[in-house]
Amino acid sequence: MQTSRSDREFHFTDSNFATIKALIYDRAGINLAETKKDMVYSRLSRRLRVNGLNSFQQYLDLLADPASDEQQEFVNSLTTNLASFFREAHHFDALKAYFSEHPDKKKFRIWCCAASTGEEPYSIAMAAIEYFGCYNPPVEILASDLDTKVLEKARQGVYAFERVESLSDQRLKAFFFRGKGNNSGLVKVKSELQDLVFFLNLNLLNNNWPFDDPFDIIFCRNVMIYFDKPTQYKVLKKFVPYLKEDGLLFAGHSESFPHASDLFRLRKHTVYVKATK
Ligand SMILES: C[S@@+](CC[C@H](N)C(=O)[O-])C[C@H]1O[C@@H](n2cnc3c(N)ncnc32)[C@H](O)[C@@H]1O
């Protein structure tokens, strides 16, 4: 059935939605529910305006060109990037516990694979600085995301003050500069934190991840919820060789992987270990 609400600025049919749903599934693994039609309309309408187009069909024609710059904008528009500092705080306690359980490790390699706007990798850096009591803790944090726009924001490390106001005064003082003048109302993470985090544009669906060495910890939080179970399984299977035998995989609070019990085993609340361990 071809329906399009007449109160809309652009003609948007069920068939347009079905094509978009298939495209974003193919490119990002994102499994859009039928209930997301209005969200898709509103997010992509902006792209139609930017490109001076009159209909979704024209927009889809533009996306048919694999070399079009719009490909990345399309993906960026359909990701959901909600993030916050020390979200699901128990994982940062588990991270510190991992540091203390492995005193012999010279360096901890940590991959934050859906880093969004940077709150998560910077929280990892803060937890490491707090645990080791210095600004150059033995950690390497790789922060990746599919969305280039959020990664740029993450690299800059500038946030509205409201995003950090729930942090303790001690953390605010230790890890952020407060903006003055034109920058009042903003905070910037200190360069010592930025120095610990390496940012990378990476699609979890891609087959060739550019890592030589496995990680001690993988933070994969609040991204699997956008994937269906077969995609989750494929990504989890690819994690296996990239996680050390004694490594941990952190998942989001509403994510669980009973369908991948041959790959990962739940150790405690949303913290997984390799099934072979
Ligand atoms: C809701 S945010 C999660 C942020 C952070 N991990 C947290 O838990 O606060 C989900 C992120 O997953 C990213 N994402 C979605 N599909 C992806 C894919 N195929 N590969 C890599 N990142 C993806 C999105 O761009 C978005 O920034």
Side-chain angles (χ1 to χ4, degrees):
M1 194 176 55
Q2 299 285 300
T3 57
S4 177
R5 274 174 29 192
S6 56
D7 55 336
R8 282 178 167 155
E9 179 184 357
F10 302 108
H11 191 56
F12 181 53
T13 66
D14 287 352
S15 156
N16 294 151
F17 178 72
T19 307
I20 289 164
K21 185 173 152 73
L23 275 177
I24 196 65
Y25 181 76
D26 180 56
R27 300 203 181 153
I30 294 172
N31 187 24
L32 285 175
E34 295 296 313
T35 52
K36 299 290 181 194
K37 261 181 212 162
D38 287 344
M39 180 204 87
V40 167
Y41 175 84
S42 125
R43 291 191 186 180
L44 292 183
S45 289
R46 278 180 236 143
R47 297 307 310 160
L48 266 69
R49 284 183 212 109
V50 168
N51 285 289
L53 303 175
N54 298 322
S55 74
F56 270 82
Q57 192 48 56
Q58 284 180 349
Y59 186 64
L60 290 172
D61 292 344
L62 180 63
L63 290 178
D65 172 6
S68 164
D69 290 344
E70 190 58 27
Q71 301 295 350
Q72 183 67 50
E73 297 291 346
F74 169 70
V75 168
N76 289 357
S77 299
L78 293 180
T79 56
T80 297
N81 311 112
L82 183 76
S84 57
F85 288 100
F86 289 97
R87 184 179 192 182
E88 298 169 47
H90 66 99
H91 282 154
F92 299 93
D93 297 334
L95 176 67
K96 290 178 181 177
Y98 187 86
F99 293 148
S100 80
E101 286 157 16
H102 296 88
D104 297 339
K105 293 201 183 207
K106 291 199 168 48
K107 198 97 178 174
F108 293 87
R109 277 173 56 75
I110 302 167
W111 180 21
C112 175
C113 74
S116 188
T117 36
E119 290 87 340
E120 187 176 61
Y122 289 133
S123 300
I124 296 170
M126 289 184 235
I129 291 169
E130 286 172 350
Y131 178 80
F132 289 101
C134 62
Y135 279 102
N136 58 345
V139 295
E140 279 171 6
I141 303 164
L142 176 79
S144 65
D145 201 285
L146 166 75
D147 182 330
T148 51
K149 212 173 244 162
V150 290
L151 270 183
E152 194 40 47
K153 182 161 174 43
R155 269 193 200 100
Q156 287 165 4
V158 176
Y159 301 91
F161 182 73
E162 298 82 70
R163 307 299 302 272
V164 297
E165 64 189 347
S166 63
L167 299 183
S168 66
D169 285 348
Q170 202 183 356
R171 278 184 173 158
L172 281 178
K173 225 183 229 154
F175 302 123
F176 296 89
F177 289 118
R178 282 195 77 156
K180 296 196 178 95
N182 285 346
N183 293 325
S184 70
L186 298 176
V187 294
K188 185 173 191 327
V189 294
K190 290 194 175 173
S191 60
E192 289 89 341
L193 260 74
Q194 288 175 303
D195 291 345
L196 293 174
V197 184
F198 176 74
F199 291 99
L200 178 74
N201 180 217
L202 182 143
N203 186 346
L204 288 170
L205 253 53
N206 283 356
N207 279 327
N208 300 313
W209 292 340
F211 315 130
D212 294 329
D213 298 315
F215 295 91
D216 297 284
I217 310 248
I218 299 178
F219 277 74
C220 181
R221 307 190 312 162
N222 305 302
V223 58
M224 290 290 203
I225 34 166
Y226 301 103
F227 301 160
D228 60 13
K229 287 202 164 52
T231 306
Q232 290 180 357
Y233 188 88
K234 268 187 224 154
V235 173
L236 288 167
K237 192 163 185 186
K238 288 195 290 170
F239 281 157
V240 172
Y242 289 105
L243 187 66
K244 291 183 186 166
E245 284 311 304
D246 60 0
L248 300 179
L249 169 70
F250 293 156
H253 64 100
S254 59
E255 296 164 326
S256 63
F257 313 123
H259 51 293
S261 58
D262 57 324
L263 306 175
F264 289 98
R265 177 168 61 78
L266 188 63
R267 188 172 97 167
K268 59 180 177 191
H269 184 47
T270 61
V271 177
Y272 285 80
V273 292
K274 280 187 172 185
T276 47
K277 192 171 176 291

